[in-house]
Amino acid sequence: TDRGLVLERSAERRGAGPLPCARMFGGIFGGSDPRLSQIAGLEAAFPAAQCKQADKSLYDLPFNVGNLPYTLRIFLPPKFPDVPPVLQLLKPLKHEWVNQYNQVVGHAYLSPGTWSSHFELAQLVKEVLDELIKTPNTGGSSDMPPIRNTGIGYGQVSIPDPVAAIPGPHEVNGMRGGGGSGGSGGRVSVL
């Protein structure tokens, strides 16, 4: 077992909270869990990051682009660091690194097939924030769909609202109201 982790858990049970040195330097005591080391590095580099799940799989990190507040959600899947983290903005930001679901996908570490468990999570987050802050509005998807929070389990990932993306009857084929041809007199029914 990892002696640093044992010390940290023992202190938490006594109500003393986690021991920073045991958490940050667990490797000194004979090896460490790579996941916990990555999480400790993130917490040390970004004290403003708010842990949202007891298993430390979800963090919200507030930051500003100009005067506008944003939050970067950092989701660590159960197999992290063997699989990449998911970085997602909680509100839209038009940027070439951000896809239509507000997920950060433009960093080289996040490109499909490039993630390595040896990459440092804190360094990735720093580079992403630096890029988003210094070069906002550089492209990205111009068709940002409305976002809703599913509120379900791991990560509570925001996804596009499928209902909001359905055109109303007056918006189909650029027609308003009952014009057009066809069996329904130009009207569309959505169930």
Side-chain angles (χ1 to χ4, degrees):
T1 66
D2 182 329
R3 181 167 164 71
L5 182 60
V6 170
L7 288 172
E8 180 177 351
R9 287 186 180 152
S10 174
E12 286 175 344
R13 274 188 237 122
R14 289 192 316 267
L19 295 173
C21 60
R23 184 177 54 183
M24 290 176 61
F25 304 108
I28 294 173
F29 300 109
S32 66
D33 179 316
R35 180 182 178 91
L36 293 177
S37 294
Q38 291 271 13
I39 291 170
L42 176 72
E43 291 174 343
F46 299 98
Q50 303 162 356
C51 183
K52 296 294 189 176
Q53 297 282 342
D55 65 357
K56 296 191 173 198
S57 64
L58 186 67
Y59 286 83
D60 283 353
L61 179 59
F63 70 100
N64 287 330
V65 175
N67 292 330
L68 299 174
Y70 285 88
T71 300
L72 179 66
R73 177 157 284 176
I74 304 161
F75 172 62
L76 306 175
K79 293 185 179 183
F80 175 83
D82 296 323
V83 299
V86 176
L87 305 180
Q88 184 175 29
L89 296 164
L90 296 188
K91 72 179 186 182
L93 173 68
K94 189 175 178 184
H95 190 282
E96 62 189 356
W97 280 18
V98 179
N99 71 12
Q100 67 182 8
Y101 305 109
N102 296 325
Q103 293 177 339
V104 177
V105 295
H107 190 284
Y109 287 1
L110 298 174
S111 297
T114 61
W115 177 256
S116 167
S117 62
H118 300 291
F119 292 155
E120 291 293 326
L121 176 62
Q123 184 64 32
L124 168 66
V125 171
K126 180 188 180 312
E127 290 174 9
V128 165
L129 288 178
D130 288 347
E131 173 66 21
L132 295 178
I133 291 168
K134 78 175 183 173
T135 56
N137 299 316
T138 60
S141 175
S142 59
D143 299 325
M144 295 263 191
I147 301 298
R148 67 182 168 93
N149 190 322
T150 62
I152 55 173
Y154 263 109
Q156 300 179 354
V157 175
S158 298
I159 59 174
D161 187 344
V163 176
I166 299 171
H170 63 282
E171 299 172 307
V172 176
N173 295 329
M175 294 184 287
R176 291 181 107 7
S181 61
S184 66
R187 286 176 272 158
V188 176
S189 299
V190 179
L191 301 177

